[in-house]
Amino acid sequence: MTGKETSPEARLARVEAATRPAHAALAPVLRDGRLPRGAVVSVQGDAGLLLALAGGAVTRHDWVSIIGLGGLGPAAAKAYGIPWERTALAETPVAQWAQVAADLAPATPIMLLQPTTPAPPRQLRRLEAILRETGTTLLTPAPWEGAVLTLTTSDVQTFGLGDGWGEITHHAVTVHCTGRGRARPRSQRLLPPGPDGTVQPLAAAERGATRPVDAATA
């Protein structure tokens, strides 16, 4: 018997031990359809995408910490599946966000973090080491040099407006995911959120929608 995996079940067990669940609509852009544990994931350009990743990763009894995102309220969090009753909010002194994140990581498996200032490389290395040790997944809307995955968006379309009338109901974006190492780039067209408030593939919600408009002219 060798040390290599000998069955699909063994590989699945390995993947599940190293990752967290992901929202079904976002799974196609993620390696193994899941989020990595103990790592930083940078989610740039769409707040709904950031919240959907966080909400999809939460399992029963998980706590979530939110650091430096003062504008996020309970209604928005709950809409994306983030359990507000198990959420720790932290408004940090400008220069101490990395320390606050390091302190909360052991107790909160999912962390949303908006850095307020550049941190010294030594602090970032220490925070990343704590994430690996605790298995906490850190999601940030900021660029992050050591991120295992980086998600960006492009090709924004807005839905709901007619010829000078109506109101915006939802928007569509193309989500791109790149990763370190041999992870291949992936893309998916999504609505974060769609008309019913959930994240979903574009084709599932586009049927029957009013005409899209260019985001630059909306």
Side-chain angles (χ1 to χ4, degrees):
M1 181 171 177
T2 69
K4 294 183 179 179
E5 295 168 351
T6 58
S7 69
E9 291 79 9
R11 181 185 183 278
L12 178 61
R14 178 184 62 81
V15 168
E16 289 184 345
T19 60
R20 299 186 184 282
H23 193 291
L26 296 169
V29 300
L30 302 172
R31 183 177 181 181
D32 296 313
R34 294 168 67 89
L35 280 175
R37 292 179 185 266
V40 177
V41 177
S42 176
V43 186
Q44 303 172 33
D46 195 289
L49 179 60
L50 176 73
L51 297 177
L53 279 169
V58 175
T59 58
R60 189 178 181 185
H61 304 312
D62 278 347
W63 275 75
V64 178
S65 57
I66 300 176
I67 304 170
L69 292 165
L72 177 61
K78 289 180 178 179
Y80 284 96
I82 297 173
W84 196 251
E85 68 280 5
R86 299 195 310 275
T87 296
L89 298 176
E91 288 298 324
T92 67
V94 171
Q96 297 180 16
W97 60 266
Q99 181 59 54
V100 172
D103 291 343
L104 285 173
T108 55
I110 312 295
M111 179 177 293
L112 287 82
L113 169 68
Q114 173 64 71
T116 50
T117 60
R122 179 177 58 83
Q123 288 188 12
L124 294 182
R125 288 195 298 270
R126 176 175 176 269
L127 174 56
E128 290 173 356
I130 290 173
L131 296 175
R132 289 192 294 271
E133 179 181 343
T134 61
T136 293
T137 299
L138 189 157
L139 303 170
T140 178
W144 192 289
E145 184 177 352
V148 170
L149 296 177
T150 297
L151 281 76
T152 57
T153 59
S154 66
D155 305 322
V156 179
Q157 281 182 302
T158 302
F159 292 83
L161 293 178
D163 293 322
W165 55 270
E167 62 181 21
I168 294 173
T169 58
H170 56 287
H171 69 280
V173 298
T174 300
V175 177
H176 310 277
C177 182
T178 57
R180 295 192 312 195
R182 297 182 179 180
R184 66 178 180 83
R186 302 164 188 256
S187 297
Q188 175 84 341
R189 192 75 174 151
L190 298 172
L191 293 103
D196 66 353
T198 64
V199 178
Q200 53 192 277
L202 178 61
E206 203 172 26
R207 294 185 294 269
T210 50
R211 55 178 276 188
V213 297
D214 189 282
T217 60

